[in-house]
Amino acid sequence: MEPKDIPIPSLSASLKKLWLPILMTCVVLVGLFWWASGQQSLTTMLQKAQWQWLWAPALLVCFNMGLAAFRWAAIVKTAGYTMLWREGMYAILATWPLALLTPGRASDLLRPYIVRHRFPMAEGMSSVVVEKMIDVQSLCILVLVGSVWHGLWSWFAFALVGLICAWGGVALLLYTSLLEWIKARPYLNKFSKLFDQFFSIFEHFRAQPLRFVYVCSLSLLAWCVALLIIWSLLHIFGAPLPVSHVVSLWPIALFIGQLPITFAGMGTRDASFLALIMLTSPQNVPQAGILSATFSYALLTTWMPAVLGLPWSFRFLATYRQQRQGKEEPNT
């Protein structure tokens, strides 16, 4: 697909497709708030919250955003291309608000379009796919550690199977003739060059295993910072859980939050984390404080970057429309 053919989702069309997840999110969030208010006064808890420390998790979110641009540039460099950190940061900020309108952060595939002067589109999209796969790998590793820590063996098996299936599929394509067989199909052979460009990054990582370990380390660092964010929010809202619970159970909740049930995982992630805490903790837990911390996590890690990215998103959309109009005028 050529860059000019990449569709940009419209607000009305996206909202029509997302009405069910939005409705489910509202139902789940209202239910959680109603239940929590019956367990502990939300007003009292919010009044006692240590709001003066909210800058700490907000600063960690900004660090993770900068790290995301640095990590993407490292993946691109592995393929032999150069992308400046500020270019990657601009692409991430410009597409972040659009992530609220597309399921599964599919708008991240628009990032390569913004910096398409740096590499071919197929390889740019491959870099984003590789980034997501490495993130899933990091999350699976943390889930494996957490499930062993608390003896949640069903989640251990689920994460292990997911990890094996993801990289097992890549190994089949790289180490067997499966990819060549796919490209030889009559209806796919015309895309042979795109296939080669798309999977070239996997080949580069296979030839540079230390680069792969380096990028994986950056991904694990980002997820560890995410754990630090939720840990600090739990302290701010008067629910200082043990570090063992946060390290072992929050990754599982994040994993559950990836399921396309509610909008951006809000509600399912919060409910699953609270349920896991209640199942593994022998004592009463501050439910309202935990839910306030998890809701704040969503606001800081999803909505705050979206708001910060609005100026860059408007700039990107304006540039995109100008380019489209400039290409259409000669044909009119």
Side-chain angles (χ1 to χ4, degrees), residues 116-170:
R116 61 194 181 280
H117 61 285
R118 290 295 185 180
F119 39 68
M121 280 295 297
E123 294 191 45
M125 289 188 175
S126 177
S127 68
V128 175
V129 172
V130 169
E131 176 189 278
K132 298 303 179 185
M133 291 186 66
I134 292 176
D135 276 343
V136 171
Q137 171 187 267
S138 299
L139 190 56
C140 285
I141 291 173
L142 291 175
V143 170
L144 290 173
V145 174
S147 56
V148 170
W149 201 327
H150 279 279
L152 302 174
W153 299 112
S154 58
W155 281 107
F156 177 88
F158 187 74
L160 184 61
V161 169
L163 196 60
I164 293 174
C165 289
W167 288 114
V170 174

Tab-separated table of all heavy atoms in Angstrom, residues 116-170:
chain	number	residue	atom	x	y	z
A	116	ARG	N	8.041	8.818	6.872
A	116	ARG	CA	8.257	7.940	5.717
A	116	ARG	C	9.469	8.344	4.885
A	116	ARG	O	9.930	7.555	4.051
A	116	ARG	CB	7.002	7.927	4.836
A	116	ARG	CG	6.631	9.284	4.262
A	116	ARG	CD	5.223	9.243	3.705
A	116	ARG	NE	4.831	10.527	3.126
A	116	ARG	CZ	4.404	11.573	3.825
A	116	ARG	NH1	4.342	11.502	5.148
A	116	ARG	NH2	4.065	12.696	3.221
A	117	HIS	N	9.981	9.554	5.108
A	117	HIS	CA	11.186	9.954	4.383
A	117	HIS	C	12.431	9.252	4.910
A	117	HIS	O	13.500	9.346	4.300
A	117	HIS	CB	11.369	11.471	4.490
A	117	HIS	CG	11.528	11.962	5.892
A	117	HIS	ND1	10.462	12.042	6.768
A	117	HIS	CD2	12.617	12.391	6.579
A	117	HIS	CE1	10.905	12.499	7.940
A	117	HIS	NE2	12.201	12.715	7.847
A	118	ARG	N	12.299	8.568	6.035
A	118	ARG	CA	13.445	7.898	6.660
A	118	ARG	C	13.592	6.443	6.221
A	118	ARG	O	14.683	5.891	6.262
A	118	ARG	CB	13.312	7.947	8.183
A	118	ARG	CG	13.500	9.335	8.777
A	118	ARG	CD	14.920	9.810	8.543
A	118	ARG	NE	15.184	11.096	9.194
A	118	ARG	CZ	16.348	11.718	9.138
A	118	ARG	NH1	17.348	11.186	8.455
A	118	ARG	NH2	16.513	12.876	9.727
A	119	PHE	N	12.479	5.775	5.847
A	119	PHE	CA	12.535	4.369	5.477
A	119	PHE	C	11.294	4.011	4.664
A	119	PHE	O	10.298	4.742	4.684
A	119	PHE	CB	12.615	3.471	6.725
A	119	PHE	CG	11.752	3.944	7.866
A	119	PHE	CD1	10.362	3.907	7.796
A	119	PHE	CD2	12.324	4.442	9.016
A	119	PHE	CE1	9.574	4.347	8.839
A	119	PHE	CE2	11.542	4.896	10.071
A	119	PHE	CZ	10.155	4.847	9.973
A	120	PRO	N	11.321	2.886	3.927
A	120	PRO	CA	10.129	2.446	3.191
A	120	PRO	C	8.982	2.156	4.148
A	120	PRO	O	9.189	1.741	5.294
A	120	PRO	CB	10.602	1.175	2.483
A	120	PRO	CG	12.089	1.295	2.426
A	120	PRO	CD	12.491	2.043	3.660
A	121	MET	N	7.761	2.350	3.679
A	121	MET	CA	6.596	2.186	4.534
A	121	MET	C	6.492	0.771	5.090
A	121	MET	O	6.137	0.569	6.253
A	121	MET	CB	5.339	2.546	3.756
A	121	MET	CG	5.078	4.038	3.661
A	121	MET	SD	4.744	4.791	5.284
A	121	MET	CE	3.259	3.937	5.749
A	122	ALA	N	6.772	-0.234	4.248
A	122	ALA	CA	6.652	-1.622	4.704
A	122	ALA	C	7.590	-1.889	5.879
A	122	ALA	O	7.206	-2.512	6.877
A	122	ALA	CB	6.938	-2.582	3.554
A	123	GLU	N	8.818	-1.398	5.795
A	123	GLU	CA	9.773	-1.595	6.880
A	123	GLU	C	9.405	-0.750	8.092
A	123	GLU	O	9.645	-1.150	9.237
A	123	GLU	CB	11.184	-1.269	6.394
A	123	GLU	CG	11.682	-2.227	5.324
A	123	GLU	CD	13.162	-2.057	5.040
A	123	GLU	OE1	13.942	-1.945	6.004
A	123	GLU	OE2	13.533	-2.041	3.862
A	124	GLY	N	8.828	0.421	7.842
A	124	GLY	CA	8.381	1.244	8.962
A	124	GLY	C	7.273	0.572	9.742
A	124	GLY	O	7.285	0.550	10.985
A	125	MET	N	6.295	-0.008	9.034
A	125	MET	CA	5.222	-0.722	9.722
A	125	MET	C	5.759	-1.958	10.428
A	125	MET	O	5.299	-2.313	11.517
A	125	MET	CB	4.133	-1.098	8.726
A	125	MET	CG	3.327	0.083	8.221
A	125	MET	SD	1.909	-0.419	7.235
A	125	MET	CE	1.122	1.178	6.961
A	126	SER	N	6.736	-2.615	9.803
A	126	SER	CA	7.352	-3.768	10.444
A	126	SER	C	8.024	-3.371	11.756
A	126	SER	O	7.975	-4.118	12.743
A	126	SER	CB	8.379	-4.389	9.501
A	126	SER	OG	9.040	-5.469	10.118
A	127	SER	N	8.644	-2.178	11.789
A	127	SER	CA	9.299	-1.732	13.021
A	127	SER	C	8.289	-1.556	14.151
A	127	SER	O	8.584	-1.863	15.312
A	127	SER	CB	10.046	-0.417	12.772
A	127	SER	OG	9.145	0.651	12.513
A	128	VAL	N	7.085	-1.079	13.815
A	128	VAL	CA	6.043	-0.914	14.834
A	128	VAL	C	5.539	-2.280	15.301
A	128	VAL	O	5.312	-2.502	16.496
A	128	VAL	CB	4.875	-0.068	14.280
A	128	VAL	CG1	3.735	0.001	15.288
A	128	VAL	CG2	5.360	1.338	13.955
A	129	VAL	N	5.363	-3.216	14.358
A	129	VAL	CA	4.912	-4.564	14.712
A	129	VAL	C	5.933	-5.250	15.613
A	129	VAL	O	5.576	-5.878	16.621
A	129	VAL	CB	4.656	-5.394	13.445
A	129	VAL	CG1	4.372	-6.851	13.810
A	129	VAL	CG2	3.483	-4.818	12.658
A	130	VAL	N	7.212	-5.118	15.269
A	130	VAL	CA	8.271	-5.701	16.104
A	130	VAL	C	8.247	-5.082	17.501
A	130	VAL	O	8.389	-5.787	18.514
A	130	VAL	CB	9.647	-5.492	15.443
A	130	VAL	CG1	10.772	-5.844	16.405
A	130	VAL	CG2	9.762	-6.337	14.185
A	131	GLU	N	8.066	-3.778	17.559
A	131	GLU	CA	7.988	-3.091	18.853
A	131	GLU	C	6.859	-3.655	19.700
A	131	GLU	O	7.038	-3.925	20.900
A	131	GLU	CB	7.773	-1.598	18.616
A	131	GLU	CG	7.581	-0.776	19.873
A	131	GLU	CD	7.161	0.644	19.552
A	131	GLU	OE1	8.042	1.452	19.254
A	131	GLU	OE2	5.942	0.920	19.580
A	132	LYS	N	5.681	-3.872	19.085
A	132	LYS	CA	4.538	-4.414	19.825
A	132	LYS	C	4.803	-5.848	20.273
A	132	LYS	O	4.427	-6.239	21.389
A	132	LYS	CB	3.283	-4.353	18.959
A	132	LYS	CG	2.871	-2.951	18.547
A	132	LYS	CD	2.643	-2.062	19.745
A	132	LYS	CE	2.263	-0.650	19.325
A	132	LYS	NZ	2.149	0.264	20.489
A	133	MET	N	5.426	-6.635	19.400
A	133	MET	CA	5.714	-8.026	19.770
A	133	MET	C	6.686	-8.092	20.943
A	133	MET	O	6.534	-8.933	21.843
A	133	MET	CB	6.270	-8.777	18.565
A	133	MET	CG	5.274	-9.014	17.449
A	133	MET	SD	5.938	-10.064	16.134
A	133	MET	CE	6.144	-11.628	17.000
A	134	ILE	N	7.680	-7.221	20.941
A	134	ILE	CA	8.641	-7.198	22.051
A	134	ILE	C	7.955	-6.739	23.332
A	134	ILE	O	8.242	-7.241	24.427
A	134	ILE	CB	9.840	-6.304	21.697
A	134	ILE	CG1	10.653	-6.941	20.566
A	134	ILE	CG2	10.733	-6.078	22.915
A	134	ILE	CD1	11.810	-6.098	20.074
A	135	ASP	N	7.020	-5.790	23.214
A	135	ASP	CA	6.266	-5.353	24.390
A	135	ASP	C	5.421	-6.496	24.950
A	135	ASP	O	5.332	-6.677	26.170
A	135	ASP	CB	5.373	-4.165	24.024
A	135	ASP	CG	6.114	-2.847	24.089
A	135	ASP	OD1	7.190	-2.797	24.714
A	135	ASP	OD2	5.631	-1.856	23.517
A	136	VAL	N	4.771	-7.249	24.054
A	136	VAL	CA	3.990	-8.402	24.500
A	136	VAL	C	4.900	-9.427	25.157
A	136	VAL	O	4.549	-10.035	26.176
A	136	VAL	CB	3.228	-9.027	23.311
A	136	VAL	CG1	2.594	-10.354	23.716
A	136	VAL	CG2	2.160	-8.072	22.801
A	137	GLN	N	6.094	-9.620	24.596
A	137	GLN	CA	7.059	-10.533	25.198
A	137	GLN	C	7.429	-10.083	26.604
A	137	GLN	O	7.456	-10.900	27.544
A	137	GLN	CB	8.320	-10.586	24.333
A	137	GLN	CG	9.476	-11.338	24.961
A	137	GLN	CD	10.747	-11.226	24.147
A	137	GLN	OE1	11.019	-12.076	23.322
A	137	GLN	NE2	11.532	-10.180	24.378
A	138	SER	N	7.696	-8.799	26.793
A	138	SER	CA	8.050	-8.279	28.120
A	138	SER	C	6.907	-8.480	29.105
A	138	SER	O	7.126	-8.879	30.254
A	138	SER	CB	8.403	-6.793	28.015
A	138	SER	OG	9.501	-6.591	27.163
A	139	LEU	N	5.691	-8.211	28.626
A	139	LEU	CA	4.533	-8.376	29.499
A	139	LEU	C	4.346	-9.842	29.864
A	139	LEU	O	4.033	-10.168	31.020
A	139	LEU	CB	3.283	-7.828	28.802
A	139	LEU	CG	2.012	-7.701	29.650
A	139	LEU	CD1	2.276	-6.854	30.878
A	139	LEU	CD2	0.885	-7.106	28.820
A	140	CYS	N	4.548	-10.737	28.899
A	140	CYS	CA	4.435	-12.173	29.178
A	140	CYS	C	5.487	-12.616	30.194
A	140	CYS	O	5.204	-13.433	31.084
A	140	CYS	CB	4.580	-12.967	27.883
A	140	CYS	SG	3.137	-12.926	26.798
A	141	ILE	N	6.702	-12.087	30.066
A	141	ILE	CA	7.767	-12.444	31.017
A	141	ILE	C	7.388	-12.007	32.426
A	141	ILE	O	7.555	-12.762	33.399
A	141	ILE	CB	9.098	-11.806	30.577
A	141	ILE	CG1	9.617	-12.466	29.298
A	141	ILE	CG2	10.146	-11.920	31.690
A	141	ILE	CD1	10.838	-11.782	28.703
A	142	LEU	N	6.860	-10.792	32.552
A	142	LEU	CA	6.449	-10.310	33.875
A	142	LEU	C	5.268	-11.122	34.415
A	142	LEU	O	5.192	-11.388	35.623
A	142	LEU	CB	6.070	-8.828	33.782
A	142	LEU	CG	7.236	-7.867	33.515
A	142	LEU	CD1	6.716	-6.451	33.310
A	142	LEU	CD2	8.241	-7.899	34.655
A	143	VAL	N	4.348	-11.517	33.518
A	143	VAL	CA	3.225	-12.361	33.946
A	143	VAL	C	3.746	-13.727	34.416
A	143	VAL	O	3.257	-14.277	35.418
A	143	VAL	CB	2.207	-12.530	32.799
A	143	VAL	CG1	1.169	-13.595	33.164
A	143	VAL	CG2	1.506	-11.217	32.510
A	144	LEU	N	4.730	-14.270	33.720
A	144	LEU	CA	5.315	-15.548	34.137
A	144	LEU	C	5.918	-15.438	35.532
A	144	LEU	O	5.709	-16.308	36.385
A	144	LEU	CB	6.387	-15.984	33.131
A	144	LEU	CG	5.905	-16.416	31.740
A	144	LEU	CD1	7.092	-16.658	30.825
A	144	LEU	CD2	5.046	-17.660	31.834
A	145	VAL	N	6.654	-14.351	35.760
A	145	VAL	CA	7.261	-14.146	37.076
A	145	VAL	C	6.182	-13.985	38.148
A	145	VAL	O	6.243	-14.601	39.221
A	145	VAL	CB	8.183	-12.913	37.053
A	145	VAL	CG1	8.693	-12.602	38.459
A	145	VAL	CG2	9.358	-13.136	36.104
A	146	GLY	N	5.177	-13.159	37.847
A	146	GLY	CA	4.123	-12.906	38.827
A	146	GLY	C	3.283	-14.134	39.134
A	146	GLY	O	2.918	-14.382	40.288
A	147	SER	N	2.972	-14.911	38.105
A	147	SER	CA	2.140	-16.096	38.318
A	147	SER	C	2.881	-17.151	39.133
A	147	SER	O	2.272	-17.849	39.956
A	147	SER	CB	1.693	-16.671	36.972
A	147	SER	OG	2.812	-16.954	36.143
A	148	VAL	N	4.186	-17.270	38.941
A	148	VAL	CA	4.976	-18.194	39.766
A	148	VAL	C	5.031	-17.692	41.198
A	148	VAL	O	4.930	-18.467	42.164
A	148	VAL	CB	6.399	-18.341	39.179
A	148	VAL	CG1	7.302	-19.100	40.150
A	148	VAL	CG2	6.346	-19.069	37.847
A	149	TRP	N	5.185	-16.384	41.360
A	149	TRP	CA	5.290	-15.769	42.689
A	149	TRP	C	4.062	-16.092	43.534
A	149	TRP	O	4.162	-16.388	44.721
A	149	TRP	CB	5.437	-14.259	42.527
A	149	TRP	CG	6.030	-13.554	43.718
A	149	TRP	CD1	5.882	-13.898	45.027
A	149	TRP	CD2	6.845	-12.386	43.704
A	149	TRP	NE1	6.537	-13.020	45.836
A	149	TRP	CE2	7.147	-12.064	45.042
A	149	TRP	CE3	7.332	-11.565	42.692
A	149	TRP	CZ2	7.918	-10.970	45.382
A	149	TRP	CZ3	8.103	-10.475	43.046
A	149	TRP	CH2	8.396	-10.188	44.370
A	150	HIS	N	2.869	-16.031	42.914
A	150	HIS	CA	1.629	-16.239	43.660
A	150	HIS	C	0.958	-17.572	43.334
A	150	HIS	O	-0.167	-17.811	43.758
A	150	HIS	CB	0.654	-15.099	43.377
A	150	HIS	CG	0.935	-13.861	44.175
A	150	HIS	ND1	0.533	-13.707	45.487
A	150	HIS	CD2	1.598	-12.730	43.862
A	150	HIS	CE1	0.927	-12.528	45.945
A	150	HIS	NE2	1.574	-11.912	44.972
A	151	GLY	N	1.623	-18.420	42.572
A	151	GLY	CA	1.062	-19.733	42.294
A	151	GLY	C	-0.149	-19.728	41.392
A	151	GLY	O	-0.989	-20.636	41.474
A	152	LEU	N	-0.255	-18.729	40.516
A	152	LEU	CA	-1.368	-18.656	39.571
A	152	LEU	C	-0.960	-19.393	38.287
A	152	LEU	O	-0.635	-18.801	37.265
A	152	LEU	CB	-1.714	-17.189	39.279
A	152	LEU	CG	-2.083	-16.347	40.512
A	152	LEU	CD1	-2.252	-14.889	40.131
A	152	LEU	CD2	-3.362	-16.880	41.151
A	153	TRP	N	-1.021	-20.711	38.337
A	153	TRP	CA	-0.440	-21.525	37.279
A	153	TRP	C	-1.224	-21.467	35.981
A	153	TRP	O	-0.664	-21.697	34.907
A	153	TRP	CB	-0.309	-22.964	37.768
A	153	TRP	CG	0.583	-23.060	38.970
A	153	TRP	CD1	0.218	-23.376	40.241
A	153	TRP	CD2	1.992	-22.802	39.017
A	153	TRP	NE1	1.295	-23.337	41.086
A	153	TRP	CE2	2.397	-22.988	40.362
A	153	TRP	CE3	2.942	-22.430	38.065
A	153	TRP	CZ2	3.723	-22.815	40.755
A	153	TRP	CZ3	4.257	-22.263	38.460
A	153	TRP	CH2	4.629	-22.461	39.791
A	154	SER	N	-2.508	-21.192	36.056
A	154	SER	CA	-3.277	-21.068	34.810
A	154	SER	C	-2.793	-19.861	34.008
A	154	SER	O	-2.678	-19.928	32.774
A	154	SER	CB	-4.768	-20.947	35.124
A	154	SER	OG	-5.018	-19.825	35.965
A	155	TRP	N	-2.496	-18.769	34.697
A	155	TRP	CA	-1.971	-17.591	34.000
A	155	TRP	C	-0.542	-17.825	33.531
A	155	TRP	O	-0.131	-17.298	32.483
A	155	TRP	CB	-2.031	-16.365	34.915
A	155	TRP	CG	-3.402	-15.792	34.969
A	155	TRP	CD1	-4.291	-15.868	36.009
A	155	TRP	CD2	-4.065	-15.092	33.921
A	155	TRP	NE1	-5.467	-15.257	35.671
A	155	TRP	CE2	-5.356	-14.760	34.404
A	155	TRP	CE3	-3.703	-14.706	32.633
A	155	TRP	CZ2	-6.280	-14.069	33.628
A	155	TRP	CZ3	-4.625	-14.014	31.865
A	155	TRP	CH2	-5.881	-13.708	32.354
A	156	PHE	N	0.205	-18.612	34.262
A	156	PHE	CA	1.549	-18.968	33.812
A	156	PHE	C	1.484	-19.718	32.483
A	156	PHE	O	2.223	-19.407	31.532
A	156	PHE	CB	2.234	-19.843	34.869
A	156	PHE	CG	3.602	-20.325	34.475
A	156	PHE	CD1	4.723	-19.558	34.737
A	156	PHE	CD2	3.769	-21.556	33.844
A	156	PHE	CE1	5.989	-19.991	34.378
A	156	PHE	CE2	5.035	-22.001	33.475
A	156	PHE	CZ	6.141	-21.213	33.743
A	157	ALA	N	0.574	-20.679	32.399
A	157	ALA	CA	0.430	-21.457	31.166
A	157	ALA	C	-0.066	-20.586	30.021
A	157	ALA	O	0.407	-20.705	28.886
A	157	ALA	CB	-0.538	-22.624	31.405
A	158	PHE	N	-1.008	-19.686	30.320
A	158	PHE	CA	-1.558	-18.811	29.282
A	158	PHE	C	-0.481	-17.899	28.709
A	158	PHE	O	-0.362	-17.745	27.477
A	158	PHE	CB	-2.698	-17.976	29.879
A	158	PHE	CG	-3.454	-17.172	28.873
A	158	PHE	CD1	-4.347	-17.779	28.004
A	158	PHE	CD2	-3.282	-15.793	28.794
A	158	PHE	CE1	-5.044	-17.027	27.072
A	158	PHE	CE2	-3.970	-15.046	27.863
A	158	PHE	CZ	-4.862	-15.670	27.002
A	159	ALA	N	0.320	-17.294	29.576
A	159	ALA	CA	1.382	-16.401	29.111
A	159	ALA	C	2.462	-17.171	28.358
A	159	ALA	O	2.988	-16.693	27.352
A	159	ALA	CB	1.999	-15.661	30.304
A	160	LEU	N	2.783	-18.363	28.835
A	160	LEU	CA	3.814	-19.163	28.177
A	160	LEU	C	3.372	-19.584	26.780
A	160	LEU	O	4.156	-19.514	25.820
A	160	LEU	CB	4.133	-20.393	29.024
A	160	LEU	CG	5.270	-21.282	28.511
A	160	LEU	CD1	6.582	-20.507	28.462
A	160	LEU	CD2	5.415	-22.519	29.410
A	161	VAL	N	2.119	-19.990	26.655
A	161	VAL	CA	1.599	-20.379	25.339
A	161	VAL	C	1.596	-19.180	24.388
A	161	VAL	O	1.965	-19.301	23.216
A	161	VAL	CB	0.179	-20.971	25.474
A	161	VAL	CG1	-0.474	-21.130	24.103
A	161	VAL	CG2	0.236	-22.319	26.182
A	162	GLY	N	1.191	-18.010	24.898
A	162	GLY	CA	1.189	-16.812	24.065
A	162	GLY	C	2.574	-16.448	23.585
A	162	GLY	O	2.776	-16.082	22.423
A	163	LEU	N	3.549	-16.567	24.479
A	163	LEU	CA	4.931	-16.244	24.124
A	163	LEU	C	5.471	-17.215	23.078
A	163	LEU	O	6.111	-16.816	22.098
A	163	LEU	CB	5.793	-16.291	25.392
A	163	LEU	CG	7.177	-15.635	25.337
A	163	LEU	CD1	7.064	-14.155	25.005
A	163	LEU	CD2	7.890	-15.834	26.664
A	164	ILE	N	5.182	-18.500	23.262
A	164	ILE	CA	5.656	-19.512	22.317
A	164	ILE	C	4.998	-19.349	20.955
A	164	ILE	O	5.663	-19.442	19.909
A	164	ILE	CB	5.407	-20.919	22.881
A	164	ILE	CG1	6.281	-21.159	24.114
A	164	ILE	CG2	5.676	-21.979	21.828
A	164	ILE	CD1	6.003	-22.475	24.824
A	165	CYS	N	3.699	-19.071	20.951
A	165	CYS	CA	2.979	-18.932	19.674
A	165	CYS	C	3.481	-17.715	18.891
A	165	CYS	O	3.651	-17.792	17.665
A	165	CYS	CB	1.488	-18.808	19.930
A	165	CYS	SG	0.705	-20.338	20.484
A	166	ALA	N	3.703	-16.600	19.587
A	166	ALA	CA	4.119	-15.375	18.908
A	166	ALA	C	5.469	-15.551	18.217
A	166	ALA	O	5.607	-15.326	17.003
A	166	ALA	CB	4.181	-14.219	19.901
A	167	TRP	N	6.468	-15.967	18.983
A	167	TRP	CA	7.801	-16.095	18.398
A	167	TRP	C	7.972	-17.391	17.631
A	167	TRP	O	8.834	-17.482	16.737
A	167	TRP	CB	8.855	-15.970	19.489
A	167	TRP	CG	8.964	-14.571	19.997
A	167	TRP	CD1	8.641	-14.126	21.251
A	167	TRP	CD2	9.379	-13.420	19.265
A	167	TRP	NE1	8.838	-12.776	21.350
A	167	TRP	CE2	9.297	-12.308	20.138
A	167	TRP	CE3	9.810	-13.211	17.965
A	167	TRP	CZ2	9.632	-11.012	19.757
A	167	TRP	CZ3	10.149	-11.916	17.567
A	167	TRP	CH2	10.068	-10.844	18.454
A	168	GLY	N	7.137	-18.399	17.935
A	168	GLY	CA	7.172	-19.623	17.137
A	168	GLY	C	6.728	-19.373	15.713
A	168	GLY	O	7.292	-19.911	14.753
A	169	GLY	N	5.714	-18.504	15.553
A	169	GLY	CA	5.263	-18.147	14.212
A	169	GLY	C	6.334	-17.407	13.430
A	169	GLY	O	6.542	-17.661	12.230
A	170	VAL	N	7.042	-16.492	14.107
A	170	VAL	CA	8.132	-15.766	13.444
A	170	VAL	C	9.249	-16.728	13.060
A	170	VAL	O	9.823	-16.642	11.954
A	170	VAL	CB	8.674	-14.654	14.365
A	170	VAL	CG1	9.902	-13.996	13.736
A	170	VAL	CG2	7.591	-13.617	14.632
